[in-house]
Amino acid sequence: MSTKSDFGWAIPIMRAGYAGRALVYLVVAGFSLWAVSRGGEAQGTTSAFKSLESTAGGNVVLVAIFLGMVSYAVWRIIDSIFDLEDYGTDGEGMVARAGMIVTGLIHLGIGFAAVTLIFAGGGGEGDQSAISKGVTTVLGWPGGRWIVGAVGLITIGSALYYLKKAWKREYRKVLMGNPVTRNFDPALRGGVASQGFVVGVIGCLIVYAAVTFSGDQAGGMGEAFDWLRGQPYGRVLVGLLCAGLLGFALFCAVNAAYRIVPKARQESIDSLASRMTEKAKSV
């Protein structure tokens, strides 16, 4: 008979994955915010990794990112298949679970980009993102336009899910209630919202690539930064987004330490949501 502890073996994979994800956003948002503050431009993942590779100890961090991204991809696939976090089988739940696999594969690509850069010695094939390359490849397949369009719509669905989590603070349900999660709650909320915005822009760019039958405009965070920079007060907005993504790096780190996995719980743990509810009732 299945018990909640059956999937306890997945917890270390989850923690390693979220720690690696925190490292990715810390590197990308950190390098980008530093560049913007000095009059430069925000960097996409590939550019940020190249900047990191040229620093002392950068290769060690890139290896850690690779291992973390592999762990995150494995975790997301396991989580989606076995529904370890009880998203369910209704429409919203299935969109969330499909989005897990897409984001897992995307992060796996980020991991390989990091480790490939080590062997390329800072060289490589330029700054074109892995997403743009992948979209261009898939567009050449039979029915590729529909595949790309579907991936774009799933990505937009994931973005809306992030924004909904931030608006309703639903992320509190999967975090342990303790002083760390309570004190950093505003930063966590801003981080989740910032991630939702970035994912939404990426999803729209992928859909646009399907509509125009061209992968040139599709991309990741670098292309999202480029689009935002073209808006009124773009530099300020990019700086704010980078700060928000540092909040998302914190969110990932907090998840690595304090995330609750319903089907792998071995003891009763109060969530941040329940703790905050109790606090509100006591006021």
Side-chain angles (χ1 to χ4, degrees), residues 14-15 174-178 180-181 253-260:
M14 178 271 291
R15 299 203 189 287
V174 297
L175 293 178
M176 300 178 189
N178 57 40
V180 174
T181 55
V254 168
N255 273 266
Y258 303 115
R259 191 173 183 88
I260 300 171

Side-chain angles (χ1 to χ4, degrees), residues 18 22 162-196 243-259 271-273 276:
Y18 273 105
Y162 275 116
L163 294 173
K164 178 173 174 284
K165 281 205 302 185
W167 179 258
K168 295 188 175 182
R169 289 188 168 96
E170 292 177 346
Y171 58 86
R172 290 177 170 180
K173 298 177 183 178
V174 297
L175 293 178
M176 300 178 189
N178 57 40
V180 174
T181 55
R182 287 198 303 272
N183 293 338
F184 285 111
D185 185 52
L188 300 179
R189 189 186 192 191
V192 174
S194 298
Q195 173 68 356
L245 290 176
L246 286 176
F248 189 71
L250 175 64
F251 174 79
C252 292
V254 168
N255 273 266
Y258 303 115
R259 191 173 183 88
S271 69
L272 178 60
M276 297 300 288

Side-chain angles (χ1 to χ4, degrees), residues 60-241:
V60 176
V61 179
L62 288 173
V63 171
I65 287 174
F66 168 71
L67 295 175
M69 293 299 91
V70 171
S71 298
Y72 187 77
V74 171
W75 157 249
R76 274 318 194 189
I77 292 171
I78 293 171
D79 190 9
S80 177
I81 293 174
F82 296 104
D83 194 20
L84 298 189
E85 297 182 293
D86 285 334
Y87 286 100
T89 56
D90 60 6
E92 182 177 343
M94 294 307 294
V95 168
R97 292 168 67 181
M100 288 179 193
I101 294 178
V102 172
T103 55
L105 293 176
I106 289 173
H107 283 77
L108 183 62
I110 291 173
F112 278 107
V115 77
T116 299
L117 190 60
I118 297 175
F119 296 104
E125 300 175 3
D127 292 334
Q128 185 185 21
S129 73
I131 293 177
S132 179
K133 295 175 185 176
V135 167
T136 300
T137 299
V138 174
L139 283 173
W141 297 353
R145 171 177 284 179
W146 296 103
I147 296 174
V148 170
V151 170
L153 291 175
I154 290 173
T155 304
I156 292 173
S158 297
L160 294 175
Y161 183 72
Y162 275 116
L163 294 173
K164 178 173 174 284
K165 281 205 302 185
W167 179 258
K168 295 188 175 182
R169 289 188 168 96
E170 292 177 346
Y171 58 86
R172 290 177 170 180
K173 298 177 183 178
V174 297
L175 293 178
M176 300 178 189
N178 57 40
V180 174
T181 55
R182 287 198 303 272
N183 293 338
F184 285 111
D185 185 52
L188 300 179
R189 189 186 192 191
V192 174
S194 298
Q195 173 68 356
F197 175 82
V198 169
V199 172
V201 173
I202 292 172
C204 289
L205 292 175
I206 293 174
V207 170
Y208 182 75
V211 172
T212 60
F213 205 67
S214 171
D216 292 343
Q217 298 301 316
M221 279 190 279
E223 285 73 16
F225 285 142
D226 289 342
W227 176 83
L228 189 60
R229 187 166 50 244
Q231 309 307 309
Y233 305 102
R235 183 171 293 277
V236 174
L237 294 176
V238 169
L240 291 174
L241 181 58

